[in-house]
Amino acid sequence: MATMTIAKAINEGLRASLASDPKTLLMGEDIGELGGVYRVTDGLKKDFGALRVVDSPLAESGIIGTAIGLALRGYRPICEIQFDGFVFPGFNQITTQLAKLRTRSDGMLSAPVVIRIPYGGGIGSVEHHSESPEALFAHTAGLRIITPSNPQDAYWMIQQAVTCEDPVIVFEPKRRYWLKGEVDTSAPAGDPFSAHVLRRGTDATVVAYGPLVPVALAAAAAADEDGRSIEVIDLRSISPIDFDTVTESVTRTGRLIVAHEAPTFGGIGGEIAARISERAFLSLESPVIRVGGFHMPYPVARVEEQYLPDIDRILEALDRAFAY
Amino acid sequence: MNSSRLPAAEFEVEEVGRAVHSPDLGARQEPDAGMLQILSADGTMAGGLTAEIAGRTIDFSPYLSASDAAHLRSLYRDMFLIRRFDQESTALQRQGQLALWVPLTGQEAAQIGSGRALEPQDYAFPTYREHGVALTRGVELPDILRLFRGVTNGGWDPRERNFHLYTLVLAAQSLHAVGYAMGMQRDQLADPSLPPAASIAYFGDGASSEGDIHESMVFAASFNAPVVFFCQNNQWAISVPSSVQTRVPLAQRAEGYGFPGIRVDGNDVVAVEAATRWALEHARSGQGPVLIEAYTYRMSAHTTADDPTKYRLSRDEQEWQPRDPLARLESYLRSAGMADDAFFEELGAEARAMATELRQAVLSMTSPELADRFASVYAEPHPLVQEELRFFQEYEAGFADEGKHA
Ligand SMILES: Cc1ncc(C[n+]2csc(CCOP(=O)(O)OP(=O)(O)O)c2C)c(N)n1
């Protein structure tokens, strides 16, 4: 067991992927000498060389599009997008090409491209540096989307993304890059597309993912003091979503809160609410309640604390659920 | 192509359009300026040929097929067959057997010439119009119609013939071609005993405006990727003339990226083949990318959904008719005594037989079940897809039961 930050865990995970398969390579802006703007790829170019850790021209469509070509030739490219708000020049290649390659070839071709995107706010930055666009990608069939919330997952999930035959987008919770935790580098990893129950409880379930997982855990601890027993699920995978784990939990607790940073309208929370209403309607003691961002572009840094779902917003939602 | 009688009013609209889009500068490009041509429109063949490209004098004689009668006949045969294929496909669309057809008439030389320059280990990334290139790669022609028949979005195994699937999103494939070439470059480094290979990206003059073309040229140049960019400038992007896309001949853009660009007569199959051979060799030998602009003319409509009488001048069509790529090679073959009536008659019979077979193949294409389509969304098992497939099958089975009870 080693203690490391999420950023370091991803770095170690990438290192393991590069070491185990000579066909893997990293591509992105400033990922070489600099090690990425968040230093997630720090030192990798030094150890694996410029052919394996490629400082690409500044062109997101170019990064994704050439990665698709490399994948067609048998390579396993891992692309870094510098910030969430800058993935959109590459959106076309991701949604019209990468996601559809398998279907368009009737299953003959695979596109095992990994795209890493630091996402979410809470870092006091300027516009386009704090967005949570996961629902825009989750709506596209053919993509897989995961988001680790702790170093252990960060270390393993990136490696599993690389060996997956499907394209995988890894949304990395950037404000948690420096969150420390234990990493068992020898433990065989479980299915990256399954949810984890992080905390058992009997009265309500809170589902969260990525940056909001620690917030959900803290809210559950606070609710505990009020005598409410809250189960917390780390979704881990946004596409597919492990509805079985959520359904099982809700049939026991009877209440569900879904929390994410992205705007609630048209978001992942709505999808979970709808599915769980279908699957566990008779177990529900209250409607599924969503906690998320508002229908506005991510706000300026001076007010982002008010925008971001925090412990109190989750507690307020729990109060509403218990009021039914 | 039925030449249209355009009212004078449309004439004016067209002139106004040109004035707005590109005042003077390159608005009307000199068609033949600085263009590589070997077989001229009247069917005469130049001998050896040199050209100035990126400050170097290139001798194209080693790449010329002009003196090889059997080879020239086979180029003609390919062009003839693909034109017949195009006509039959257009007819099939008109009869409701295809959802859409994208004709290539007028572009046979650009496609056959460039396609025949490829080696088996090279890899082609087409748009949606490269039926001629597909023929040269050995793709079964009926397979090309599977996409347009609506039974699949692909139609063939790209790896079998090193000919990628058609791409409908303009310019997207240019980046795939560059990435693929970067992979070839890496393979070569890892195993120098592999035969040197290059990829070729096809796109149109309209697509040249898309950002992906720019990004692909930047990546190709930065990584010295063995890729040939092959732009068929057929002068129209649906109804919009190429003057709206560019002020300079497209080939000149290559200079800005730092690699050679050649403008070739796209209706001269011999020149296209020579230029592409040279470009591919340049790329394969580690000298980096090349851009070829094949200057040609789309004699047919953009697609079967298009109506060129709304925007095109009959004057232009009349101007281009005599430059027909088939007519000029035929006239050369005949005058040089390389082919006689018997050759052309046999070819006609072969094309008719091919068309009959094609029609039968299209009519006998079976539609997939929607249930089959669930299988190719992901490579690995996906719970949502499995759940929705189960739902769909049970839903369908419900109707089957109803049928039984009725
Ligand atoms: C990204 C994108 N935008 C628009 C279209 C619709 N469209 C299909 S073909 C075409 C014109 C293309 O012209 P050009 O690149 O010159 O190729 P050509 O068809 O003339 O060979 C357009 C606008 C498309 N397929 N993709």
Side-chain angles (χ1 to χ4, degrees):
Chain A
M1 287 281 208
T3 302
M4 52 180 100
T5 61
I6 286 185
K8 180 67 178 165
I10 298 169
N11 179 279
E12 290 294 331
L14 290 171
R15 178 179 295 279
S17 290
L18 287 168
S20 71
D21 180 1
K23 293 267 181 178
T24 56
L25 67 145
L26 309 189
M27 300 168 66
E29 295 158 11
D30 306 294
I31 65 167
E33 297 305 325
L34 183 68
V37 289
Y38 284 101
R39 312 291 183 268
V40 173
T41 55
D42 206 19
L44 296 177
K45 182 179 173 196
K46 184 166 75 63
D47 295 344
F48 292 94
L51 206 57
R52 305 288 305 284
V53 181
V54 181
D55 270 322
S56 70
L58 220 167
E60 287 72 18
S61 192
I63 293 169
I64 312 290
T66 53
I68 294 170
L70 279 155
L72 285 170
R73 186 72 188 180
Y75 288 82
R76 295 237 166 204
I78 308 164
C79 308
E80 175 173 301
I81 299 295
Q82 204 156 65
F83 281 96
D84 34 60
F86 306 135
V87 69
F88 296 106
F91 193 74
N92 170 39
Q93 285 287 340
I94 297 174
T95 53
T96 74
Q97 305 298 308
L98 184 61
K100 295 194 167 99
L101 189 64
R102 192 163 183 86
T103 286
R104 293 181 56 235
S105 66
D106 294 322
M108 284 182 284
L109 304 176
S110 281
V113 172
V114 172
I115 302 168
R116 299 178 35 242
I117 309 176
Y119 81 126
I123 58 161
S125 197
V126 291
E127 60 175 351
H128 312 303
H129 288 70
S130 301
E131 295 171 14
S132 300
E134 62 271 17
L136 291 171
F137 296 95
H139 196 62
T140 304
L143 302 173
R144 290 172 184 268
I145 300 166
I146 54 178
T147 176
S149 72
N150 57 70
Q152 171 77 14
D153 274 351
Y155 177 76
W156 284 110
M157 282 163 77
I158 184 66
Q159 294 180 63
Q160 291 168 317
V162 175
T163 54
C164 182
E165 279 304 311
D166 291 311
V168 183
I169 302 180
V170 186
F171 276 105
E172 300 175 356
K174 69 167 92 78
R175 70 169 143 138
R176 307 287 178 209
Y177 269 144
W178 303 280
L179 184 96
K180 280 191 179 161
E182 295 275 290
V183 176
D184 185 348
T185 54
S186 65
D191 175 10
F193 304 106
S194 67
H196 281 173
V197 178
L198 296 186
R199 185 184 202 277
R200 286 282 167 191
T202 54
D203 302 336
T205 303
V206 176
V207 168
Y209 56 80
L212 282 197
V213 170
V215 180
L217 286 170
D224 212 358
E225 288 169 21
D226 297 338
R228 284 175 179 159
S229 166
I230 309 299
E231 184 143 310
V232 175
I233 294 178
D234 178 356
L235 205 56
R236 297 171 81 242
S237 176
I238 293 169
S239 180
I241 288 175
D242 178 359
F243 290 111
D244 288 345
T245 296
V246 182
T247 307
E248 192 280 325
S249 174
V250 172
T251 50
R252 279 188 290 102
T253 64
R255 291 179 178 85
L256 177 62
I257 309 294
V258 187
H260 54 57
E261 279 189 31
T264 54
F265 181 80
I268 300 299
E271 179 59 40
I272 295 175
R275 294 263 166 190
I276 296 306
S277 301
E278 278 186 47
R279 286 172 159 233
F281 185 67
L282 295 177
S283 305
L284 285 169
E285 306 278 344
S286 69
V288 179
I289 296 176
R290 290 168 294 167
V291 177
F294 302 107
H295 194 58
M296 61 170 70
Y298 191 85
V300 293
R302 296 286 174 189
V303 297
E304 70 176 337
E305 288 305 323
Q306 284 167 272
Y307 173 90
L308 288 170
D310 59 3
I311 299 171
D312 289 335
R313 288 251 289 278
I314 294 177
L315 290 174
E316 186 275 338
L318 281 168
D319 283 346
R320 270 194 281 151
F322 281 105
Y324 277 89
Chain B
M1 204 50 251
N2 54 333
S3 43
S4 52
R5 295 272 148 261
L6 287 174
E10 290 212 26
F11 223 91
E12 283 156 24
V13 168
E14 207 242 4
E15 298 301 334
V16 170
R18 276 179 187 159
V20 169
H21 283 301
S22 42
D24 296 340
L25 274 169
R28 194 83 173 128
Q29 293 163 21
E30 246 336 289
D32 299 332
M35 199 163 72
L36 186 69
Q37 189 189 64
I38 295 159
L39 177 61
S40 62
D42 61 8
T44 52
M45 190 86 79
L49 201 81
T50 57
E52 282 291 311
I53 292 164
R56 281 201 298 148
T57 305
I58 309 293
D59 178 10
F60 284 94
S61 350
Y63 308 97
L64 285 184
S65 57
S67 59
D68 185 334
H71 185 80
L72 288 180
R73 277 196 303 269
S74 78
L75 289 176
Y76 184 85
R77 178 176 170 275
D78 279 3
M79 294 200 292
F80 190 85
L81 289 179
I82 210 65
R83 181 171 288 186
R84 187 69 188 83
F85 168 77
D86 194 28
Q87 288 163 350
E88 195 62 21
S89 304
T90 304
L92 281 162
Q93 197 284 331
R94 293 283 180 241
Q95 291 155 11
Q97 299 298 340
L98 303 175
L100 181 78
W101 181 241
V102 188
L104 63 22
T105 295
Q107 299 181 222
E108 294 88 350
Q111 296 197 10
I112 300 299
S114 61
R116 290 288 292 272
L118 296 166
E119 297 290 335
Q121 72 272 19
D122 297 329
Y123 200 106
F125 286 84
T127 64
Y128 40 74
R129 200 190 294 280
E130 270 67 69
H131 324 310
V133 185
L135 172 77
T136 67
R137 297 306 275 168
V139 173
E140 295 291 332
L141 291 183
D143 285 348
I144 296 175
L145 299 185
R146 296 167 66 78
L147 168 72
F148 299 97
R149 175 90 168 153
V151 299
T152 172
N153 292 327
W156 58 90
D157 185 344
R159 295 160 304 185
E160 246 171 44
R161 302 289 176 181
N162 278 10
F163 183 73
H164 198 61
L165 300 175
Y166 279 179
T167 304
L168 290 172
V169 178
L170 290 171
Q173 78 283 358
S174 60
L175 283 166
H176 308 164
V178 174
Y180 198 91
M182 288 163 69
M184 289 169 150
Q185 193 180 36
R186 284 161 186 266
D187 288 351
Q188 194 75 43
L189 270 173
D191 180 2
S193 72
L194 286 171
S199 72
I200 184 164
Y202 287 89
F203 59 96
D205 49 302
S208 75
S209 297
E210 293 277 358
D212 275 0
I213 293 296
H214 168 66
E215 295 192 23
S216 63
M217 292 191 183
V218 170
F219 270 70
S222 298
F223 298 112
N224 205 42
V227 58
V228 173
F229 296 103
F230 194 93
C231 177
Q232 286 167 81
N233 180 356
N234 63 19
Q235 303 182 58
W236 293 94
I238 311 189
S239 65
V240 179
S242 51
S243 58
V244 176
Q245 320 290 344
T246 183
R247 285 185 171 194
V248 298
L250 287 163
Q252 282 181 16
R253 288 194 187 171
E255 198 184 331
Y257 294 100
F259 52 81
I262 318 171
R263 185 176 235 214
V264 59
D265 181 345
N267 285 17
D268 170 358
V269 70
V270 179
V272 172
E273 188 192 33
T276 315
R277 279 219 187 110
W278 173 79
L280 286 164
E281 192 180 287
H282 182 93
R284 286 191 215 105
S285 62
Q287 297 175 79
V290 176
L291 166 62
I292 298 174
E293 176 193 359
Y295 192 75
T296 178
Y297 185 75
R298 195 183 71 221
M299 291 210 272
S300 42
H302 170 72
T303 67
T304 46
D306 177 30
D307 177 8
T309 63
K310 282 192 167 270
Y311 56 86
R312 220 156 57 180
L313 304 175
S314 57
R315 183 188 66 198
D316 285 358
E317 283 171 28
Q318 284 153 14
E319 198 181 302
W320 278 86
Q321 204 65 46
R323 308 187 193 193
D324 186 309
L326 272 78
R328 71 169 82 169
L329 185 55
E330 175 177 348
S331 113
Y332 176 73
L333 285 172
R334 284 186 187 275
S335 66
M338 287 175 167
D340 53 14
D341 284 345
F343 168 78
F344 294 103
E345 275 158 29
E346 253 172 60
L347 190 51
E350 185 186 352
R352 280 192 297 279
M354 178 207 71
T356 308
E357 270 177 45
L358 182 79
R359 173 169 289 269
Q360 281 161 359
V362 167
L363 298 183
S364 66
M365 278 175 189
T366 50
S367 307
E369 298 289 329
L370 182 63
D372 301 340
R373 305 301 299 169
F374 286 84
S376 60
V377 185
Y378 291 92
E380 297 184 11
H382 190 288
L384 179 62
V385 173
Q386 288 164 343
E387 184 186 316
E388 291 185 350
L389 173 60
R390 261 196 314 278
F391 165 82
F392 177 71
Q393 283 171 329
E394 280 163 24
Y395 175 79
E396 292 279 286
F399 286 107
D401 286 350
E402 251 173 45
K404 257 181 250 147
H405 295 310

